[in-house]
Amino acid sequence: MKNKFNRLSLAVAIAAAAFASQAHAGGYQINEQSVSGQGYGHAGRSSNVNDATIVFGNPAGMSFLDRAQVTAGGTYLNVNTDINNATATRNGAPVEGSSDGDMVPGTLIPFAFYAHPVNERLAFGFGVYAPFGSKTDYEDGFIGRNLGNYTELTVMSAQPTVSYRFNEQWSVGAGLMYNRVDGELHRQVPTPVFGARPDLPGGVGPVGTQELDARIEGDDDGWGYNLGVMFQPTPETTLGLTYRSKVSYTLTGDYRSRDASGEIYVNPLTGEAQDKAARLDLDTPETVNFSITQQMTDRLKLMAGASWTRWDRFDEILVTGPDGETITFEEQDYSNAWAYGLGGEYQLNPQLALRAGITLDFTPTSDEFRSARIPSDDRRIFSIGAGWSPTEDLTLDLAYSYLTERGTQVNQSRTDANETITSTYSADYKNEAHGFGAQLTYRF
């Protein structure tokens, strides 16, 4: 089925359900590519070289590693959502339904990296990780089902990488990103039911409404790149800068709607079956990360960082049919967003390092266009972690993060059936998440 439905779901899952990850980064980005970095809030993502996860953080940092190593692990995210004051209408009449909340299932986000210094200047690396991801699954009978009740997006990247160190101070790196994506989107679409209407010409007209189960699912792939530079003006100070490119997709697939009997819905006025090809063009945004790592003493180092994401590329969702007709249009009006982090690491003894950090992550969404699919707002993330090295060749890293969002509100509406049916949904949301991470590094 995925091959047949092809690509459209990714676009809508990214577009209509932006911020579905509910993870530790703004938008539908995911920050969980390093548990050692998670411990200090990813504050030193581009400048702190701990292990092979630097392949993602800053490819230039691979040449600062002293030997080959492999790092693998993952973070389990447990998201909690409270929904209050939920109401919905259809053409002004109340819609019945529930608002249980906790619509984001627990998710494990894995990663694996390998870095291999060839000599004192040249290094190669490879990584497999999830840069984006989302899942929201409201209960059956969700009161806001006419705006969206299920979204799933999975993106996995494979990244070959190379770095070169010019001297003791400067290093550069570059990597190619191959992204493989799968997505699925559901919505209960209100549609007129036609029957006898003696008061209308022809004697037939709308006599009520029904809900169609509209689904889009599929997959796609795309290419991008990342660039990094690392500068060490003194042995105690390291600065890093990383750029990750946008990735462009032309998504094609099929749109299908089924009635209560499970049959493909056919418009009784036009005879058109709701089973058609569809297309959407989408650019996922580029990001820039800068950080600094300062070795304060033999045991203590501090880190600070900032990330910028060009979310203003995402201003609308426009899905079109085979003849260019509009299937779905939603305005998004995203704004470019920043995230900031502060963190530190203390080497308690040769075997044990302790970490802590805080991150402020600002949302690109606006109050006017915030979606029921992902009702997210500004985030604060508090992290702690530890790295235990029983031998020089082996390190086990553990981390815990607590994410809390500012309470937010959704006031959403959209029209269906040639603008004859208007659905609204309003609710107050409060989100929080717990992240439990573990990774293992082995050095050769």
Side-chain angles (χ1 to χ4, degrees):
M1 178 176 289
K2 286 194 290 187
N3 288 336
K4 185 172 182 180
F5 282 156
N6 220 341
R7 304 176 174 93
L8 185 62
S9 65
L10 166 65
V12 183
I14 288 177
F19 278 80
S21 69
Q22 296 285 359
H24 289 184
Y28 45 89
Q29 288 176 289
I30 289 178
N31 255 349
E32 283 68 30
Q33 298 89 18
S34 171
V35 173
S36 54
Q38 179 186 343
Y40 46 79
H42 302 287
R45 163 161 280 170
S46 293
S47 57
N48 197 47
V49 183
N50 267 330
D51 46 52
T53 62
I54 197 67
V55 170
F56 176 87
N58 185 345
M62 292 191 304
S63 56
F64 281 79
L65 296 171
D66 58 358
R67 52 181 167 151
Q69 50 197 274
V70 60
T71 302
T75 297
Y76 179 82
L77 293 176
N78 180 31
V79 181
N80 302 312
T81 302
D82 289 328
I83 304 177
N84 296 292
N85 306 316
T87 61
T89 66
R90 187 181 303 146
N91 283 348
V95 173
E96 298 298 322
S98 59
S99 55
D100 294 345
D102 292 338
M103 67 282 187
V104 182
T107 303
L108 177 65
I109 303 173
F111 58 82
F113 298 93
Y114 174 72
H116 182 86
V118 177
N119 52 45
E120 293 181 355
R121 296 184 181 273
L122 183 66
F124 292 97
F126 187 81
V128 179
Y129 55 88
F132 302 106
S134 65
K135 187 171 184 178
T136 52
D137 186 7
Y138 287 94
E139 70 276 11
D140 293 339
F142 168 55
I143 193 172
R145 60 191 178 274
N146 298 151
L147 284 301
N149 57 353
Y150 182 91
T151 303
E152 184 172 9
L153 172 68
T154 302
V155 182
M156 292 300 295
S157 289
Q159 178 187 313
T161 310
V162 62
S163 72
Y164 185 79
R165 188 170 182 174
F166 294 101
N167 50 43
E168 292 299 316
Q169 294 181 315
W170 288 97
S171 178
V172 297
L176 284 177
M177 303 180 300
Y178 170 74
N179 294 343
R180 183 68 181 174
V181 296
D182 292 275
E184 186 172 348
L185 176 72
H186 301 182
R187 183 169 77 92
Q188 303 302 303
V189 179
T191 303
V193 174
F194 291 90
R197 287 285 302 272
D199 58 318
L200 296 178
V204 176
V207 296
T209 61
Q210 63 178 320
E211 292 184 347
L212 304 179
D213 183 22
R215 301 189 179 199
I216 307 169
E217 60 184 80
D219 54 77
D220 192 19
D221 51 35
W223 289 89
Y225 63 93
N226 63 345
L227 304 172
V229 60
M230 194 169 284
F231 175 53
Q232 199 171 62
T234 69
E236 297 80 20
T237 304
T238 306
L239 297 90
L241 179 67
T242 308
Y243 170 83
R244 302 182 70 84
S245 75
K246 71 175 183 178
V247 180
S248 296
Y249 302 92
T250 298
L251 298 108
T252 59
D254 294 297
Y255 165 79
R256 289 185 173 183
S257 291
R258 299 181 185 272
D259 59 23
S261 68
E263 298 297 323
I264 295 294
Y265 178 71
V266 178
N267 189 319
L269 298 181
T270 64
E272 181 186 23
Q274 298 302 296
D275 180 1
K276 62 172 69 176
R279 173 189 176 101
L280 184 147
D281 293 327
L282 176 72
D283 289 340
T284 54
E286 55 266 59
T287 62
V288 179
N289 179 271
F290 170 79
S291 70
I292 180 171
T293 298
Q294 180 66 42
Q295 192 76 42
M296 306 299 293
T297 69
D298 290 342
R299 295 192 175 191
L300 176 66
K301 60 181 174 181
L302 300 179
M303 290 147 280
S307 296
W308 176 83
T309 304
R310 189 180 175 181
W311 284 114
D312 67 358
R313 291 188 178 279
F314 185 42
D315 57 356
E316 68 177 19
I317 304 163
L318 180 59
V319 181
T320 58
D323 298 321
E325 71 277 16
T326 297
I327 295 177
T328 294
F329 173 79
E330 294 182 21
E331 190 167 357
Q332 298 300 309
D333 193 33
Y334 273 30
S335 300
N336 298 332
W338 286 87
Y340 304 94
L342 290 173
E345 180 178 280
Y346 184 76
Q347 193 72 41
L348 186 64
N349 55 49
Q351 289 76 41
L352 184 62
L354 304 178
R355 305 174 181 123
I358 183 173
T359 304
L360 301 178
D361 189 10
F362 297 98
T363 181
T365 61
S366 64
D367 293 341
E368 182 178 0
F369 298 109
R370 186 169 291 112
S371 170
R373 293 189 178 276
I374 301 302
S376 185
D377 213 305
D378 296 341
R379 301 167 175 180
R380 292 170 295 168
I381 306 160
F382 305 91
S383 302
I384 57 173
W388 177 54
S389 302
T391 72
E392 293 183 354
D393 299 331
L394 187 67
T395 299
L396 172 65
D397 293 288
L398 301 174
Y400 166 75
S401 297
Y402 172 70
L403 178 153
T404 179
E405 286 190 358
R406 184 177 66 176
T408 194
Q409 187 177 57
V410 170
N411 286 295
Q412 192 177 3
S413 67
R414 68 173 299 161
T415 59
D416 292 291
N418 295 321
E419 301 187 357
T420 62
I421 299 178
T422 299
S423 302
T424 69
Y425 172 66
S426 176
D428 297 321
Y429 282 77
K430 177 61 177 176
N431 302 312
E432 66 174 13
H434 303 270
F436 306 89
Q439 76 177 34
L440 194 66
T441 296
Y442 182 76
R443 301 171 184 87
F444 300 94

